[in-house]
Amino acid sequence: MRISHLFTKTSKSAPADEVAKNAQLLIRAGFVYKEMAGAYAYLPLGIRVIEKIKHIVREEMNAIDSNELIMTSLQRREIWEKTGRWNDDVVDVWFKTRLKDDTEVGLGWSHEEPIVEMLKQYVHSYKDLPISLYQFQTKMRNELRAKSGIMRGREFIMKDMYSFHTSADDLEAYYNRTIEAYKRVYDRLGIGADTYVTFASGGAFTKFSHEFQTICDAGEDVIYLHRGKNIAVNEEVIDDAVRELGISRDELEQVKTAEVGNIFNFGSQKAEEMGLDFVDADDSAHPVFMGSYGIGVTRVMGVIAEKLSDDKGLVWPEAIAPANVYLVSIGKDDAIGHADELYDELQAKGIEVLYDDRDVRPGEKFSDSELIGIPHRVTVSDRLIAENQYEYTERVSGETILLTREQLLAKLS
Ligand code: ATP
Ligand code: MG
């Protein structure tokens, strides 16, 4: 992509009302646009990051035999009344609206109930199970406070997955496979080492749910961590967990974290409430066992922007960077011709390039490349071309070296 074709521009400052570092950086660098508190548009650079996160999540969900679909944002009131969750005192984040004929509908904040209702049409026999389904969907939540930038949106992208089973054992086995799949996701996203499987509230069948909590100063959660035993507990269940797990509170370290994922074992409760049954081999009917598994796609992007940035700007890990290489040309015809040619060659090799082909000062190109946070920068200048050399700078370390064309291509491939 040529920067001259991008409609976004970098800026020195973020909107005065934006207090979160992740959003400040993402707005300044042209990844997101703030529509209002908790609602952000994703611009061309931002979309590339989102799509790469989704790609990783999609590969790992497909690898555990889940199938992708897209549910609707408009939801029926009757479905949520079956479990008592239409009630605003029970679910305090509902956005609700009305159709022209006055029918009340909800805007999806979760899809647990609608997916169970849908499956009543497709699941009848034990032969129809197990099933796992997932989607990437924009969830709508009327959050009280939305001060954490894209880490807490009033609309945000979630990957939500739901699995359905004939027995508690089969559900538990799948639940554990999902934990491993989630670990691979966070590893590939570059935050695996700082992300802990954490005991949390909200299990129905089991006492605890499991959250994936990433150490992050800007996070809104607090967990207690036993690094030696690799045990993490959300503060909301610390008293219960200390009792159940036989650990003592003063062995634990308190850390600030952001919840990047959450998985639940509902047992057969949801199916009982909603009437999703299957007929077993012996002709007896039973409620279906269900698990629910979320990843906050846009929150993950915000957490990575917070954690991996420095005083110069964003620092994307290779796996989700909007491009691999930031190409800068300095000088007149010679440099531009060489840079054009290198741009084509790199792209032909499948290396994604953000090409700063603007007619602006070199200093501006360099500082923008740092703000945008592309992993590798290559500078083509009149002076260096004469010596068959290219300047290469690594974003994360800031180190600059001179390379021949052959060395450069080897490094980037
Ligand atoms: P929180 O406690 O942060 O409000 P939650 O427990 O209500 O989150 P879940 O319903 O478990 O969230 O949603 C699954 C995942 O979606 C969360 O683990 C989180 O990563 C993400 N998420 C939830 N709410 C938001 C939000 N308002 N903005 C961005 N991501 C969110
Ligand atoms: Mg949660």
Side-chain angles (χ1 to χ4, degrees):
M1 191 190 308
R2 286 173 180 264
I3 295 211
S4 62
H5 295 176
L6 268 183
F7 79 92
T8 51
K9 303 216 172 357
T10 57
S11 69
K12 296 240 179 316
S13 60
D17 66 342
E18 184 56 74
V19 293
K21 181 172 85 172
N22 67 84
Q24 287 175 348
L25 285 171
L26 291 166
I27 291 169
R28 286 183 49 213
F31 287 66
V32 306
Y33 165 77
K34 184 175 191 174
E35 182 68 36
M36 63 178 98
Y40 297 86
Y42 288 82
L43 307 176
L45 292 175
I47 281 285
R48 287 180 164 219
V49 176
I50 293 287
E51 289 304 321
K52 288 188 180 182
I53 296 173
K54 283 164 68 174
H55 174 74
I56 290 172
V57 174
R58 186 176 273 130
E59 280 192 349
E60 296 300 341
M61 297 308 107
N62 290 346
I64 54 171
D65 306 318
S66 197
N67 290 314
E68 188 167 355
L69 48 58
I70 301 184
M71 304 288 288
T72 66
S73 293
L74 294 177
Q75 299 182 338
R76 283 184 288 151
R77 171 184 173 151
E78 313 82 83
I79 292 175
W80 288 93
E81 278 176 342
K82 292 183 186 179
T83 57
R85 295 213 291 175
W86 182 256
N87 189 330
D88 292 308
D89 297 330
V90 178
V91 172
D92 62 2
V93 293
W94 269 119
F95 280 109
K96 294 175 180 173
T97 187
R98 283 177 191 278
L99 304 180
K100 294 282 187 201
D101 70 1
D102 234 25
T103 308
E104 215 182 351
V105 291
L107 303 182
W109 64 277
S110 157
H111 285 74
E112 277 156 2
E113 274 77 344
I115 207 156
V116 171
E117 186 67 24
M118 182 184 86
L119 284 187
K120 285 156 79 176
Q121 238 181 76
Y122 300 97
V123 171
H124 306 289
S125 148
Y126 69 98
K127 292 178 187 158
D128 301 327
L129 297 167
I131 291 176
S132 176
L133 303 169
Y134 74 96
Q135 62 174 346
F136 294 99
Q137 232 257 1
T138 298
K139 300 288 189 255
M140 308 294 294
R141 293 189 183 183
N142 200 349
E143 303 274 3
L144 187 59
R145 276 176 293 278
K147 291 202 155 92
S148 298
I150 66 165
M151 289 169 63
R152 182 171 299 283
R154 295 198 164 99
E155 55 174 275
F156 62 95
I157 302 173
M158 192 199 288
K159 184 283 301 181
D160 41 330
M161 181 172 86
Y162 308 91
S163 75
F164 301 88
H165 308 265
T166 55
S167 69
D169 283 351
D170 197 51
L171 168 56
E172 198 190 326
Y174 192 77
Y175 188 93
N176 291 331
R177 266 178 93 192
T178 306
I179 291 181
E180 296 310 312
Y182 271 38
K183 286 184 188 164
R184 287 193 293 274
V185 166
Y186 299 117
D187 280 345
R188 290 177 64 181
L189 291 171
I191 52 173
D194 277 348
T195 301
Y196 288 84
V197 184
T198 305
F199 291 96
S201 67
F205 179 68
T206 47
K207 179 149 201 157
F208 302 111
S209 76
H210 290 95
E211 289 172 344
F212 292 77
Q213 293 277 6
T214 306
I215 296 176
C216 179
D217 285 338
E220 296 180 15
D221 289 6
V222 171
I223 67 167
Y224 288 87
L225 198 59
H226 193 305
R227 289 185 201 255
K229 292 186 181 155
N230 199 25
I231 294 176
V233 179
N234 192 309
E235 66 172 352
E236 63 187 15
V237 296
I238 186 68
D239 294 333
D240 272 3
V242 164
R243 234 177 294 123
E244 294 260 322
L245 304 172
I247 41 174
S248 129
R249 216 178 160 129
D250 31 79
E251 305 172 76
L252 304 173
E253 181 189 338
Q254 211 184 11
V255 285
K256 281 188 85 175
T257 52
E259 181 196 319
V260 291
N262 199 181
I263 64 175
F264 298 86
N265 180 330
F266 284 128
S268 58
Q269 186 193 343
K270 201 60 91 190
E272 282 167 37
E273 288 171 336
M274 299 194 62
L276 174 64
D277 295 330
F278 72 96
V279 175
D280 217 340
D282 64 3
D283 272 351
S284 58
H286 306 276
V288 171
F289 289 82
M290 174 185 183
S292 171
Y293 318 83
I295 290 182
V297 171
T298 41
R299 179 176 292 178
V300 159
M301 178 174 168
V303 167
I304 291 170
E306 287 277 340
K307 280 179 74 75
L308 302 184
S309 51
D310 60 19
D311 55 350
K312 299 191 176 91
L314 298 157
V315 183
W316 297 108
E318 196 89 45
I320 62 164
N324 312 106
V325 174
Y326 193 99
L327 177 61
V328 175
S329 63
I330 296 178
K332 294 281 174 248
D333 300 345
D334 250 15
I336 293 172
H338 266 78
D340 282 351
E341 194 205 311
L342 184 61
Y343 176 60
D344 291 339
E345 182 173 350
L346 291 175
Q347 301 243 100
K349 286 185 188 297
I351 299 167
E352 291 173 305
V353 184
L354 197 57
Y355 177 16
D356 199 340
D357 58 344
R358 297 171 302 170
D359 186 15
V360 298
R361 286 180 301 107
E364 197 173 330
K365 295 188 180 188
F366 292 145
S367 63
D368 278 355
S369 82
E370 286 162 344
L371 177 60
I372 293 171
I374 307 296
H376 312 282
R377 183 174 77 208
V378 175
T379 305
V380 180
S381 72
D382 286 334
R383 181 177 59 81
L384 292 173
I385 291 163
E387 301 159 19
N388 181 33
Q389 294 221 296
Y390 298 81
E391 194 180 273
Y392 165 84
T393 305
E394 185 185 54
R395 174 65 182 90
V396 66
S397 64
E399 274 169 35
T400 295
I401 47 174
L402 291 179
L403 299 172
T404 64
R405 191 182 183 90
E406 296 66 37
Q407 289 169 329
L408 178 71
L409 291 176
K411 180 152 196 83
L412 298 178
S413 312

